[in-house]
């Protein structure tokens, strides 16, 4: 048996239990529809303490520190990065993949608003070889235990259900 379990979450759960509803879907739709360049958007979605924004190559030093930690990458072997140059290449590949989804799905850098610090990432993307959508997050080890994973997951789910109109989202 696998130690991984999938959780299917519904919009009713979010409406009932989530205190986070700080994104304006019409503004996001207008930005994607009018501007067409999702990388110009400051936050794709946010909560009171966190913001999710497009990756930038300038994020490489901070991202390298996060994914250099073996505890962070224990279940993410493809994210363990040897150098800042490899990190910049990884960010480039993430940006390319996100472009394929017009920036509406993919992974985004997670920013701690109080410090403007990159503390991880949050994602909404199709599962490999599947059309089902996965929600996930990776956090820097020093940020564990602050409720950030729950907070990032909730706003990502709200975005996925409300803006992307997904009928189900899976946490693997």
């Amino acid at each position: 048996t696998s130690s991984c379990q999938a959780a299917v979450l519904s919009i009713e759960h979010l409406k009932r239990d989530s205190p986070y509803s700080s994104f304006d879907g019409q503004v996001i739709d207008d930005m994607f529809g009018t501007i067409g360049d999702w990388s110009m958007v400051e936050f794709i979605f946010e909560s009171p303490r966190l913001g999710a924004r497009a990756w930038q190559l300038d994020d490489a030093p901070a991202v390298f520190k996060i994914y250099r930690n073996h505890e962070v990458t224990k279940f993410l072997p493809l994210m363990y990065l040897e150098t800042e140059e490899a990190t910049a290449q990884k960010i480039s590949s993430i940006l390319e993949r996100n472009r394929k989804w017009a920036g509406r799905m993919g992974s985004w850098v997670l920013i701690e608003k109080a410090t403007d610090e990159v503390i991880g990432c949050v994602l909404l993307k199709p599962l490999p070889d599947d059309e089902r959508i996965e929600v996930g997050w990776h956090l820097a080890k020093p940020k564990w235990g602050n409720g950030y994973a729950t907070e990032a997951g909730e706003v990502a789910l709200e975005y996925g259900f409300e803006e992307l109109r997904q009928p189900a989202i899976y946490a693997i």
Side-chain angles (χ1 to χ4, degrees), residues 12 14-15 28 34 48 55 58 61-62 65 74 77 88-89 102 105-106 109 111 115 117 121 124-125 159-160 163 172:
E12 288 76 28
L14 280 173
K15 287 179 178 174
I28 289 173
T34 306
W55 294 83
D58 291 348
K65 288 178 188 171
K74 182 176 182 177
Q89 289 174 342
M105 280 196 284
V109 171
I111 303 294
T115 63
E117 177 185 357
C121 81
L124 275 172
K125 63 180 187 68
Y159 173 77
E163 295 305 308
I172 304 295

Side-chain angles (χ1 to χ4, degrees), residues 55-172:
W55 294 83
Q56 301 169 0
L57 291 176
D58 291 348
D59 295 327
V63 172
F64 175 68
K65 288 178 188 171
I66 294 167
Y67 291 105
R68 186 73 176 144
N69 185 307
H70 287 287
E71 288 183 88
V72 171
T73 59
K74 182 176 182 177
F75 300 105
L76 307 167
L78 297 177
M79 289 301 296
Y80 182 78
L81 302 164
E82 294 286 338
T83 65
E84 280 189 32
E85 292 77 24
T87 304
Q89 289 174 342
K90 184 70 169 180
I91 290 171
S92 291
S93 70
I94 291 168
L95 286 168
E96 187 59 36
R97 185 186 63 212
N98 285 359
R99 276 188 200 93
K100 166 173 78 171
W101 296 311
R104 294 181 59 82
M105 280 196 284
S107 69
W108 302 279
V109 171
L110 196 56
I111 303 294
E112 183 179 47
K113 289 169 141 183
T115 63
D116 201 32
E117 177 185 357
V118 173
I119 64 165
C121 81
V122 61
L123 58 93
L124 275 172
K125 63 180 187 68
L127 288 163
D129 302 319
D130 201 324
E131 292 185 16
R132 294 177 297 168
I133 302 301
E134 169 189 21
V135 64
W137 47 86
H138 312 149
L139 292 174
K141 175 77 165 120
K143 301 301 178 178
W144 293 5
N146 292 302
Y148 287 152
T150 300
E151 194 169 320
E154 285 183 345
V155 293
L157 287 168
E158 188 171 336
Y159 173 77
F161 288 126
E162 294 290 332
E163 295 305 308
L164 302 181
R165 306 277 190 240
Q166 292 297 312
I169 298 173
Y170 297 82
I172 304 295

Side-chain angles (χ1 to χ4, degrees), residues 11-20 154:
I11 191 61
E12 288 76 28
H13 160 79
L14 280 173
K15 287 179 178 174
R16 183 183 69 238
D17 298 333
S18 177
Y20 311 115
E154 285 183 345

